[in-house]
């Protein structure tokens, strides 16, 4: 296999079985450095297995894998020092404070002793937890724990981050905060593999999408590319750029014998909620 | 790897020290158990008795001599006297351990030089108490009857030589109370036979002459250490369940550093527990821990290492905490019973003692007995330390193998 140095992830014909059950049946996947990829698929599609293989803690039965140009079979430790994995479950020590958790994970990620404090402060600020840094995690809300769960994987400034449903079960404010963290990561050139069941998240955060089903990558591309692969409804929308002239535009269309109707585009419920309650985090409130 | 291992150990210690339940189970429970076992086994090898045994006394004679006998028995440290009637029936009904019947004519028999008859009714099932009763009664009876026995022997001797009875009466007046005291006779008998008795085990301080308490503290220490360290090892399963182990496996830190960190943490907890328990033994039971501190520390390190090996091995072998708790309880209780943590192996048959030495408890107990009772130093427990460290090494290798199978990259 030729190694493409521009690729953060390159997987070819990856197969994995657990007994008689096929988890991956020849998956091909590539991710460019700095690209954000949404990995979608129903439960049991093979997303978790693929991430386990790409993050070096499981090995494929056949096929080839390169992560940041390295073969996980021989360079697992080197890969681990350059990737971050945000697990779906909250993997934190409840009995420790946020700062203690981050101090610990920073050292385990090999962050140099002189840089630990700086990186922990960055992570706390990034997660919006500076004021509660010395409180035990057990006293945190679900949203606070989720945010801490994300930044605990970013302490060593990884080049590639896997996020496995990082916003499960949290309030809109925290969810929005996580989105913003991911967007900042992406903007800073970090490659991202983002798995979720919330399709809107992928629309917002990812450059490209791969859909897995029954252990195979059944589709891949940008959102618009994927949308074109599905038969259209036949219905079209005409956007009038000058909002105040939309009535005039409809009359013109009617005159030309084109049937048209005015449909007001409304914000979705999350946008309504965030507008009404503000976008700031509400961790301190009872 | 070492640095990462110490980081893991420090994190686990911080979590442990904040867990009140774990602290109570690790430090308070063993102290309470040691106190209970110490009280129960306190009489072994020490000056303290096992408590006074109640002996019923039915005095049918009601004479000066019989009352003097009852008063003397009541002074005994081993017996508590209770006057009663129908003594035999009460023992037969299981309501009393023993009863002493002083028949009519006791004083007359003593004064006339005839054998003074007493009857002791016993519940044969209460063997330990019977030994206390017999051991307490014998010197008292000898002491009180000694003068009468002396007079009786003198009269019989004079008669045997054909001397007139009046000579005997005169001689008795002359000698007055100088007949050998029976009690003194008893205690001086071995010496008179050329036998000198010396207690050579324990320490010179009588307050510390207590094998039972030494055993209780050491036995509970070893058993509770096994429980605590198995629980400490089970943090591996907790971390697996809460996802932190997975997160740690995704770091560049060597997987073995995590296991080493757990081992360091577990040994530290074990040593802390032993320090607390032996400090308690020293303060409350007066165990001479300060006299062989180095030996005690080295042995405790070896015991904690072996127990840690067991804890880690069980933790990586079991699939869930529930499974671990069930299996470890079974193994630890069996090892504690076989290895002498509950009762001294010296009171068990030879085959039991041999079987017991297949457990780490027996080697640990041998070592602690050697230090706390026989006063040995480091050079006297080399074998025990060697065996315990060998057990530690073997179990740790098993744990490492299990760890690799379970947590290294799956193919």
């Amino acid at each position: 296999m030729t190694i493409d140095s521009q690729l953060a992830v390159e997987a070819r014909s990856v197969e994995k079985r657990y007994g008689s059950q096929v988890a991956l049946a020849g998956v091909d996947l590539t991710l460019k450095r700095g690209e954000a990829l949404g990995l979608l698929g129903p439960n049991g599609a093979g997303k978790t297995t693929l991430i386990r293989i790409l993050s070096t803690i499981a090995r494929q039965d056949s096929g080839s894998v390169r992560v940041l140009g390295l073969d996980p079979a021989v360079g697992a430790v080197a890969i681990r020092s350059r990737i971050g994995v945000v697990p779906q479950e909250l993997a934190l020590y409840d009995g420790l404070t946020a700062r203690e958790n981050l101090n610990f994970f920073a050292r385990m990620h090999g962050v140099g002793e002189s840089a630990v404090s700086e990186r922990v402060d960055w992570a706390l600020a990034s997660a919006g937890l500076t004021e509660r840094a010395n409180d035990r995690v057990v006293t945190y809300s679900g949203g606070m724990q989720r945010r801490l769960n994300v930044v605990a994987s970013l302490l060593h400034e990884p080049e590639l981050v896997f996020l496995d449903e990082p916003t499960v079960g949290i309030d809109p404010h925290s969810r929005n905060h996580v989105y913003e963290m991911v967007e900042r990561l992406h903007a800073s050139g970090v490659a991202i593999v983002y798995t979720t069941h919330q399709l809107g998240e992928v629309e917002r955060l990812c450059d490209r999408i791969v859909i897995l089903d029954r252990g195979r990558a059944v589709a891949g591309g940008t959102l618009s590319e994927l949308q074109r692969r599905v038969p259209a409804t036949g219905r079209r929308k005409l956007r009038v750029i000058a909002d105040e002239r939309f009535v005039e535009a409809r009359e013109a269309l009617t005159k030309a014998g084109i049937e048209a109707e005015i449909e007001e585009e409304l914000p979705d419920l999350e946008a309504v909620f965030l507008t009404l309650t503000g976008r700031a985090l509400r961790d301190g409130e009872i | 790897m070492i640095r990462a291992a110490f980081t893991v150990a420090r994190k686990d210690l911080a979590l442990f020290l904040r867990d009140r339940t774990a602290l109570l189970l690790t430090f308070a429970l063993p102290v309470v158990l040691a106190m209970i076992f110490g009280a129960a086994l306190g009489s072994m090898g020490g000056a303290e008795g096992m408590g006074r045994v109640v002996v019923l006394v039915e005095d049918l004679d009601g004479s000066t001599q019989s009352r003097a006998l009852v008063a003397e028995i009541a002074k005994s440290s081993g017996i508590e006297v209770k006057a009663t009637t129908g003594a035999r029936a009460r023992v037969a009904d299981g309501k009393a351990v023993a009863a002493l019947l002083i028949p009519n004519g006791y004083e007359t028999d003593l004064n006339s030089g005839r054998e003074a008859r007493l009857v002791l009714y016993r519940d044969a099932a209460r063997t330990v108490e019977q030994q206390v009763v017999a051991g307490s009664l014998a010197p008292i009876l000898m002491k009180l009857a000694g003068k009468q026995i002396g007079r009786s022997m003198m009269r019989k001797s004079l008669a045997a030589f054909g001397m007139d009875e009046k000579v005997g009466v005169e001689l008795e007046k002359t000698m007055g109370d100088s007949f050998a005291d029976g009690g003194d006779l008893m205690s001086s008998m071995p010496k008179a036979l050329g036998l000198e008795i010396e207690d050579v085990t324990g320490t010179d301080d009588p307050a510390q002459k207590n094998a039972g308490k030494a055993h209780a503290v050491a036995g509970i220490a070893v058993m509770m250490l096994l429980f605590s360290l198995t629980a400490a090892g089970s943090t591996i399963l907790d971390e697996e369940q809460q996802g932190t182990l997975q997160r740690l496996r995704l770091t560049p830190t060597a997987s073995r550093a995590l296991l080493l960190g757990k081992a360091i943490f577990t040994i530290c907890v074990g040593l802390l527990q032993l320090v607390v328990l032996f400090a308690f033994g020293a303060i409350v039971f007066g165990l001479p821990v300060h006299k062989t501190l180095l030996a005690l520390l080295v042995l405790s390190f070896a015991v904690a290492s072996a127990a840690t090996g067991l804890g880690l091995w069980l933790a990586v072998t079991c699939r869930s905490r529930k499974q671990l708790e069930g299996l470890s309880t079974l193994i630890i209780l069996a090892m504690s019973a076989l290895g002498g943590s509950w009762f001294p192996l010296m009171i068990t048959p030879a085959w039991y003692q041999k079987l017991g030495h297949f457990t780490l408890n027996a080697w640990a107990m041998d070592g602690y007995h050697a230090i706390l009772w026989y006063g040995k130093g480091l050079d006297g427990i080399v074998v025990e330390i060697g065996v315990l460290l060998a057990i530690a090494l073997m179990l740790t290798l098993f744990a490492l193998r299990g760890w690799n199978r379970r947590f290294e990259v799956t193919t």
Side-chain angles (χ1 to χ4, degrees):
Chain A
M1 183 172 137
T2 345
I3 298 168
D4 186 338
S5 61
Q6 292 304 305
L7 293 179
V9 172
E10 190 174 13
R12 303 280 179 216
S13 308
V14 175
E15 292 185 0
K16 179 75 178 173
R17 284 173 176 272
Y18 294 106
S20 61
Q21 192 158 359
V22 179
L24 296 175
V27 170
D28 291 317
L29 182 83
T30 57
L31 172 71
K32 291 179 193 158
R33 290 177 190 254
E35 188 181 25
L37 175 80
L39 193 58
L40 301 179
N43 289 333
K47 302 188 298 287
T48 302
T49 302
L50 184 58
I51 288 184
R52 281 171 61 84
I53 290 171
L54 297 177
S55 60
T56 76
I57 58 169
R59 201 161 291 163
Q60 72 276 18
D61 297 332
S62 64
S64 65
V65 171
R66 290 286 185 278
V67 178
L68 299 169
L70 299 168
D71 180 354
V74 291
V77 173
I79 292 172
R80 285 175 198 166
S81 66
R82 294 167 63 190
I83 64 168
V85 181
V86 178
Q88 184 181 343
E89 67 275 14
L90 293 167
L92 301 164
Y93 298 103
D94 284 355
L96 299 182
T97 66
R99 186 178 292 284
E100 288 169 333
N101 267 285
L102 294 172
N103 271 322
F104 173 68
F105 286 119
R107 289 187 171 92
M108 299 308 284
H109 274 294
V111 175
E113 205 58 38
S114 58
V116 167
S117 180
E118 183 200 327
R119 290 303 298 163
V120 167
D121 286 342
W122 168 84
L124 287 167
S126 186
L129 293 170
T130 304
E131 287 178 13
R132 298 284 305 273
N134 296 319
D135 292 344
R136 291 191 196 180
V137 171
V138 72
T139 66
Y140 283 13
S141 68
M144 294 164 77
Q145 292 185 8
R146 277 279 160 204
R147 276 141 46 204
L148 183 61
N149 199 44
V150 172
V151 293
S153 301
L154 308 177
L155 291 156
H156 54 302
E157 301 181 81
E159 299 163 50
L160 166 63
V161 175
F162 297 91
L163 295 110
D164 190 2
E165 300 189 42
T167 58
V168 169
I170 57 173
D171 62 287
H173 292 100
S174 284
R175 187 162 57 236
N176 191 59
H177 194 92
V178 171
Y179 293 160
E180 288 172 0
M181 285 162 65
V182 176
E183 283 166 343
R184 281 197 297 273
L185 269 182
H186 186 25
S188 68
V190 174
I192 290 167
V193 176
Y194 194 103
T195 72
T196 182
H197 289 291
Q198 305 299 318
L199 306 186
E201 292 184 357
V202 174
E203 282 191 54
R204 173 173 171 173
L205 300 171
C206 299
D207 305 317
R208 207 156 54 84
I209 298 161
V210 167
I211 298 174
L212 285 185
D213 192 24
R214 300 175 199 277
R216 291 180 187 279
V218 294
T222 62
L223 178 61
S224 58
E225 284 169 351
L226 290 178
Q227 283 171 328
R228 285 193 197 99
R229 295 183 58 163
V230 181
T233 58
R235 201 176 150 87
R236 300 281 191 277
K237 274 189 183 176
L238 178 71
R239 182 179 291 273
V240 179
I241 305 300
D243 258 10
E244 69 280 4
R245 299 185 64 194
F246 66 88
V247 175
E248 200 180 323
R250 189 184 65 172
E251 284 170 357
L253 287 170
T254 308
K255 267 186 196 170
I258 302 168
E259 191 182 342
E261 63 178 16
I262 296 171
E263 186 181 318
E264 192 175 2
E265 194 173 84
L266 297 170
D268 63 18
L269 185 56
E270 184 157 326
V272 171
F273 182 85
L274 289 173
T275 305
L276 293 176
T277 59
R279 300 178 91 83
L281 293 166
R282 302 293 186 85
D283 298 332
E285 295 180 8
I286 297 169
Chain B
M1 179 163 132
I2 298 292
R3 195 174 138 220
F6 274 101
T7 303
V8 171
R10 202 164 52 234
K11 176 265 299 175
D12 279 334
L13 268 177
L15 285 168
F16 170 75
L17 293 173
R18 289 173 194 181
D19 185 343
R20 285 182 195 167
T21 309
L23 288 174
L24 270 174
L25 289 174
T26 305
F27 299 116
L29 182 62
V31 165
V32 171
L33 286 177
M35 209 182 293
I36 294 168
F37 272 67
L41 298 174
S43 64
M44 267 184 57
E48 290 175 35
M50 61 174 284
R52 300 174 84 189
V53 178
V54 175
V55 172
L56 305 179
V57 173
E58 187 170 2
D59 184 3
L60 298 178
D61 195 41
S63 62
T64 310
Q65 292 283 1
S66 67
R67 282 195 294 274
L69 172 64
V70 174
E72 199 64 33
I73 294 171
K75 285 183 202 167
S76 160
S77 61
I79 289 178
E80 183 186 339
V81 169
K82 278 195 179 167
T84 189
T85 55
R88 189 181 188 285
R90 292 177 72 83
V91 176
D93 286 349
K95 289 176 182 164
V97 174
L100 183 69
L101 179 74
I102 307 174
N104 253 328
Y106 170 75
E107 187 175 57
T108 312
D109 287 346
L110 278 179
N111 290 338
S112 63
R114 286 194 296 272
E115 283 178 12
R117 205 170 146 265
L118 292 169
V119 181
L120 183 67
Y121 302 117
R122 305 194 313 174
D123 180 347
R126 315 280 287 269
T127 51
V128 177
E129 287 100 326
Q130 297 312 341
Q131 287 174 21
V132 174
V133 172
S136 301
L137 280 181
I140 295 166
L141 294 175
M142 283 297 291
K143 185 178 177 182
L144 286 178
K147 290 171 188 171
Q148 279 70 23
I149 291 168
R151 285 194 184 99
S152 169
M153 284 171 69
M154 189 190 74
R155 284 176 192 167
K156 284 179 181 172
S157 302
L158 290 173
F161 285 106
M163 308 273 286
D164 187 59
E165 199 175 327
K166 286 178 184 171
V167 178
V169 174
E170 286 303 314
L171 202 55
E172 273 182 44
K173 279 180 187 169
T174 308
M175 293 186 73
D177 289 335
S178 62
F179 286 105
D181 182 283
D184 294 343
L185 189 68
M186 282 287 284
S187 62
S188 62
M189 190 71 83
K191 218 170 207 174
L193 294 171
L195 178 66
E196 203 159 300
I197 298 171
E198 184 188 351
D199 291 336
V200 294
T201 58
T203 67
D204 297 334
D205 182 355
Q208 294 177 354
K209 280 184 175 291
N210 202 319
K213 284 170 181 168
H215 175 85
V217 172
I220 292 302
V222 175
M223 183 178 74
M224 291 310 295
L225 185 77
L226 287 168
F227 276 116
S228 302
L229 299 199
T230 305
S234 73
T235 57
I236 291 172
L237 294 176
D238 292 342
E239 291 218 32
E240 186 184 27
Q241 196 174 1
Q242 71 195 25
T244 46
L245 186 64
Q246 178 89 324
R247 174 165 242 156
L248 291 175
R249 289 176 62 209
L250 289 161
T251 69
T253 299
S255 165
R256 288 174 188 181
L258 306 180
L259 186 65
L260 181 61
K262 292 286 176 192
I264 292 170
F265 155 67
T266 311
I267 289 174
C268 286
V269 170
L271 282 174
L272 271 175
Q273 188 183 37
L274 290 171
V275 165
V276 168
L277 206 50
F278 283 114
F280 163 81
I283 294 165
V284 178
F285 292 151
L287 296 184
V289 298
H290 58 287
K291 292 189 175 172
T292 47
L293 201 55
L294 179 65
L296 196 64
L297 279 174
V298 174
L299 178 67
S300 294
F301 174 77
V303 176
S305 300
T308 294
L310 179 70
L312 293 178
W313 178 49
L314 287 174
V316 299
T317 305
C318 293
R319 290 284 144 191
S320 67
R321 194 176 178 115
K322 199 173 175 184
Q323 190 184 28
L324 173 69
E325 283 169 357
L327 185 63
S328 62
T329 302
L330 187 71
I331 290 175
I332 293 169
L333 291 182
M335 279 174 46
S336 299
L338 282 173
S341 285
W342 294 351
F343 41 81
L345 281 182
M346 64 181 84
I347 66 167
T348 63
W351 66 265
Y352 192 100
Q353 293 182 27
K354 280 182 187 166
L355 187 63
H357 280 83
F358 281 98
T359 69
L360 70 88
N361 299 56
W363 293 99
M365 292 305 297
D366 285 354
Y368 285 126
H369 267 147
I371 294 171
L372 297 174
W373 180 242
Y374 296 110
K376 288 185 183 174
L378 203 52
D379 55 339
I381 52 168
V382 171
V383 174
E384 286 80 3
I385 289 172
V387 171
L388 286 165
L389 288 177
I391 292 172
L393 181 67
M394 184 184 71
L395 290 172
T396 305
L397 287 174
F398 285 165
L400 186 61
R401 205 174 116 194
W403 174 274
N404 286 341
R405 277 187 184 171
R406 187 159 170 184
F407 299 121
E408 282 295 331
V409 174
T410 51
T411 53

